[in-house]
Amino acid sequence: MRHFLVLAAIAAAIAAALGAGPCEPVAPDAGNGGEATLEPLADQEGWGVSGPHGFNGTLLWTEDEAGAVWPLEGAFTIPTAGYAVAAPEISVMKSLPEQVRIVLTVTPPPPDAMVAQVITNVPVAAEIAVSRNALFSVEVMETAPGAP
């Protein structure tokens, strides 16, 4: 038992010397940002989108008398209140076909914030005016807690 305590003290000293602090657990499906998955829809022309922080949505090709667009509609399902989701950032590379990058930015509440433990749906919507053959990528980025 004494050897175990000595080894534990040595490990703690090494961790302190290297600047390692206690690890914070991360919920398995909390996400921390990353690429979303796009799956073709069987019944409509478009994509199902799923990603970190419980994001689920669609990108559907839509044509009417006003023109043609790809509406992005979806929502994050977040386990607590206090998260902020910025408006989608959309970048279009003028190539053939166009390459569209959609960035969804999520800001968690500060670690010391008092938040309700309630599942919160945060909607996201945008309209993207590009051709029917456009290529899409969707990324969910997480900023530091309390960042603007």
Side-chain angles (χ1 to χ4, degrees):
M1 180 69 171
R2 195 169 86 157
H3 293 294
F4 174 77
L5 293 175
V6 170
L7 290 175
I10 291 171
I14 291 171
L18 294 175
C23 295
E24 292 186 20
V26 175
D29 292 324
N32 282 326
E35 285 292 316
T37 303
L38 280 79
E39 295 286 334
L41 297 173
D43 58 344
Q44 298 180 52
E45 188 170 356
W47 303 94
V49 185
S50 60
H53 291 289
F55 181 77
N56 282 300
T58 57
L59 267 166
L60 299 174
W61 175 252
T62 305
E63 284 184 281
D64 60 22
E65 57 279 348
V69 294
W70 286 92
L72 168 67
E73 296 178 351
F76 286 94
T77 302
I78 299 174
T80 65
Y83 280 77
V85 176
E89 295 176 35
I90 301 166
S91 303
V92 179
M93 294 177 60
K94 296 296 180 186
S95 58
L96 292 175
E98 297 106 329
Q99 297 174 44
V100 180
R101 182 172 184 253
I102 304 166
V103 178
L104 305 172
T105 304
V106 176
T107 304
D112 58 347
M114 300 273 297
V115 294
Q117 295 291 317
V118 59
I119 294 176
T120 305
N121 290 316
V122 181
V124 173
E127 286 194 348
I128 307 159
V130 293
S131 71
R132 178 181 241 142
N133 298 332
L135 302 174
F136 293 90
S137 68
V138 179
E139 181 180 1
V140 177
M141 289 183 36
E142 183 176 301
T143 62

